[in-house]
Amino acid sequence: YSCSDETFSFEPHSGALESAGKSRCLHALGDDRASAFRAVYDAAEDSIEVQVAGTSAVLQKCAATQDADTGVVTVPLVRRRQTTTEYLAGLQARTELAAAITVDDGSLGNGSSPINIVNFQDSEYYGPVSIGTPAQDFLVIYDTGSSNLWVPSSKCDGAIWKACSNHSKYDSTKSSTYEADGTNLLLPYGSGVCDGHLSGDTVHFGDFDITGAKFGEITIEPGAVWVQSPFDGILGLAYPGIAMPVGEHQPLPPFDDLMDMKALPSNQFSVFLSTQHGNMKNASSAVLLGGVDDKYYTGDFTYKKVYKYEGLEAYWLIYGDEIKVDGVAMDACKDILTLNKCQFVVDTGTSILTGPTKHINNITAKIGDVASDCSNIDSLPDIAITLGGKDFVLEPEFYVLKVADPDSGEIECQLGMQALDQLGLWILGDPFLRKYYTVFDRDQDRVGFALAKQQ
């Protein structure tokens, strides 16, 4: 089985593992555990199910691949189903985020331009990135709702901050390409303020090496949601206007670095988020750098212009016309302050749909209760989000989330929608993006949606 330039093999009866060197695919397994390693290869899914000390996991290829004809680079993502505990923790964290957070010159709470940093702790899609020479590997959320790349630092005390005790940490002393910076970095989230500093190093993003890239080393990481998360950090894909800190030391998001390098055939990236529907082996999610792949969608793209937020190139912010439930218009976008438009932030880092309380309450009341045992999903109404006069329909299978009970292992259903007052903003999160393959176009400042082909 191959992953990029790595090759290793196994004997399924004895469980013996042979490798030419340290594997970036299996970096979580130390050499001392290789003798206890057992694996079964699934050719249909192109995956290996591994068993170590009674624990099993399904591994996918983590290396990016580049299409020789189009130049588009595909980065595979992993989706993990949440437990009920994790899901409820995420809901609480998003509720805390409703308190206004504003920034001006890098300080908190005293600026005139409010910027809400989206709380995406419970997002379920994450993929690989490497930092340093030799490479140190991390799993990160590819998040279109923020603009910083950050990972935990080796300077983060795991005895104090539990999130730093069970995640991969960047160690600058082990990288020959490390560049000291030291600029203070504060990232306010609903669960607490992550604190650290900027550093520079080579970042391997997709199929590219970005030399001297600025990223965050987090040394203070409070909040239970970070402890529970299966990913180490965040790779922001929003516009540079909301990268922290603002001012002369503001770092570029990694995608902007690729734009400056003229590394891509076009300054676009697209996101396909798989829908498992109970099939835990469906791990076909991907971020594509440089364009789109027609294997992920059918029909044509509908494009929407991206607008500035408070004068900043910030979020992937588009305007919508209406939200309907069972064909009935909910007047959700009737607001004189927003010129009777819904302001939608297209955000891969949020696992639900959010909006202003007064409108979300009307919508959820019209939808009705979602049975926790999932028994009434088929009878729930469709909802539609109207963009540019076109209805984008979401069936219950997309806007109802299935979460696992940590005790019984049984699947419970939750409505993937929540009231969140963020200066009138709505968030089009993963329920929408699972239904519609999405391209983010920096060349023309627009977002395109096409019906996704489930893989």
Side-chain angles (χ1 to χ4, degrees):
Y1 178 79
S2 296
C3 181
S4 185
D5 56 349
E6 304 162 19
T7 301
F8 54 94
S9 60
F10 61 89
E11 206 293 310
H13 297 292
S14 67
L17 174 69
E18 296 181 358
S19 176
K22 182 180 179 182
S23 168
R24 289 173 62 190
C25 287
L26 299 175
H27 70 275
L29 300 178
D31 293 338
D32 58 330
R33 301 166 80 178
S35 61
F37 180 92
R38 294 184 62 84
V40 178
Y41 178 63
D42 185 334
E45 298 290 338
D46 197 15
S47 65
I48 294 178
E49 182 176 357
V50 297
Q51 299 174 359
V52 180
T55 300
S56 64
V58 176
L59 304 181
Q60 298 287 135
K61 290 190 294 184
C62 69
T65 58
Q66 185 170 29
D67 187 287
D69 297 324
T70 66
V72 174
V73 174
T74 301
V75 180
L77 301 180
V78 178
R79 179 176 188 261
R80 186 193 68 141
R81 188 181 299 283
Q82 295 174 294
T83 66
T84 303
T85 301
E86 291 168 328
Y87 176 75
L88 294 177
L91 289 181
Q92 176 62 31
R94 281 190 297 273
T95 300
E96 295 171 7
L97 182 63
I101 298 173
T102 61
V103 297
D104 186 11
D105 56 359
S107 58
L108 292 175
N110 63 354
S112 59
S113 299
I115 298 176
N116 293 344
I117 296 179
V118 179
N119 186 320
F120 39 73
Q121 294 99 313
D122 63 347
S123 181
E124 298 172 292
Y125 296 88
Y126 49 95
V129 71
S130 301
I131 304 175
T133 307
Q136 301 176 41
D137 300 327
F138 302 93
L139 293 174
V140 293
I141 295 292
Y142 284 85
D143 175 42
T144 59
S146 67
S147 298
N148 282 83
L149 168 61
W150 65 264
V151 295
S153 171
S154 62
K155 301 177 181 67
C156 182
D157 188 344
I160 301 175
W161 311 109
K162 292 183 178 180
C164 290
S165 67
N166 63 347
H167 289 88
S168 298
K169 295 185 286 187
Y170 170 79
D171 189 342
S172 61
T173 66
K174 295 181 178 180
S175 175
S176 63
T177 47
Y178 164 72
E179 300 173 6
D181 184 300
T183 301
N184 190 46
L185 175 65
L186 290 174
L187 297 171
Y189 297 101
S191 60
V193 176
C194 289
D195 193 1
H197 58 270
L198 294 181
S199 292
D201 209 332
T202 297
V203 170
H204 187 78
F205 176 29
D207 206 34
F208 306 99
D209 285 326
I210 306 171
T211 59
K214 297 296 183 182
F215 66 97
E217 283 193 61
I218 296 301
T219 55
I220 297 176
E221 193 173 359
V225 289
W226 299 111
V227 179
Q228 298 166 351
S229 71
F231 53 88
D232 304 306
I234 307 294
L235 192 152
L237 292 167
Y239 282 78
I242 55 173
M244 299 289 284
V246 298
E248 62 176 316
H249 297 288
Q250 188 173 37
L252 279 179
F255 192 78
D256 284 76
D257 283 322
L258 295 185
M259 291 172 61
D260 285 351
M261 292 165 56
K262 302 186 185 305
L264 301 171
S266 61
N267 293 322
Q268 303 175 349
F269 63 91
S270 56
V271 178
F272 172 80
L273 301 183
S274 66
T275 299
Q276 291 178 334
H277 294 319
N279 176 13
M280 297 304 289
K281 290 186 177 181
N282 186 351
S284 55
S285 304
V287 172
L288 291 83
L289 304 176
V292 301
D293 189 330
D294 58 12
K295 84 172 187 176
Y296 290 114
Y297 71 95
T298 183
D300 297 323
F301 279 95
T302 297
Y303 290 96
K304 292 292 295 178
K305 175 183 176 180
V306 172
Y307 289 87
K308 292 182 178 180
Y309 179 68
E310 298 288 337
L312 288 175
E313 289 185 326
Y315 303 110
W316 291 96
L317 176 65
I318 62 175
Y319 289 171
D321 308 314
E322 183 58 276
I323 298 176
K324 301 173 183 175
V325 179
D326 204 16
V328 178
M330 303 303 296
D331 292 335
C333 303
K334 301 295 185 184
D335 191 331
I336 191 171
L337 295 179
T338 60
L339 303 178
N340 292 325
K341 296 288 185 181
C342 283
Q343 299 184 54
F344 291 114
V345 175
V346 185
D347 183 9
T348 59
T350 299
S351 66
I352 59 173
L353 308 172
T354 77
T357 298
K358 65 178 180 180
H359 296 307
I360 287 290
N361 287 348
N362 290 337
I363 292 169
T364 56
K366 182 70 173 177
I367 291 173
D369 293 333
V370 175
S372 62
D373 63 1
C374 308
S375 59
N376 70 336
I377 289 182
D378 291 341
S379 64
L380 294 175
D382 293 346
I383 65 175
I385 296 171
T386 307
L387 304 172
K390 179 178 179 178
D391 285 349
F392 289 80
V393 177
L394 288 183
E395 295 81 5
E397 63 186 283
F398 291 101
Y399 70 75
V400 173
L401 304 182
K402 295 180 179 180
V403 295
D405 184 277
D407 299 319
S408 67
E410 294 182 356
I411 299 300
E412 298 182 2
C413 280
Q414 306 274 356
L415 180 62
M417 191 177 300
Q418 184 188 5
L420 189 59
D421 294 310
Q422 299 181 102
L423 301 173
L425 293 177
W426 296 72
I427 295 179
L428 287 183
D430 295 344
F432 186 86
L433 301 178
R434 286 196 292 268
K435 176 72 181 289
Y436 298 100
Y437 178 55
T438 305
V439 57
F440 300 82
D441 186 347
R442 286 289 296 274
D443 283 329
Q444 299 189 57
D445 291 320
R446 61 181 184 172
V447 179
F449 305 106
L451 183 63
K453 289 181 183 177
Q454 297 306 316
Q455 303 296 299

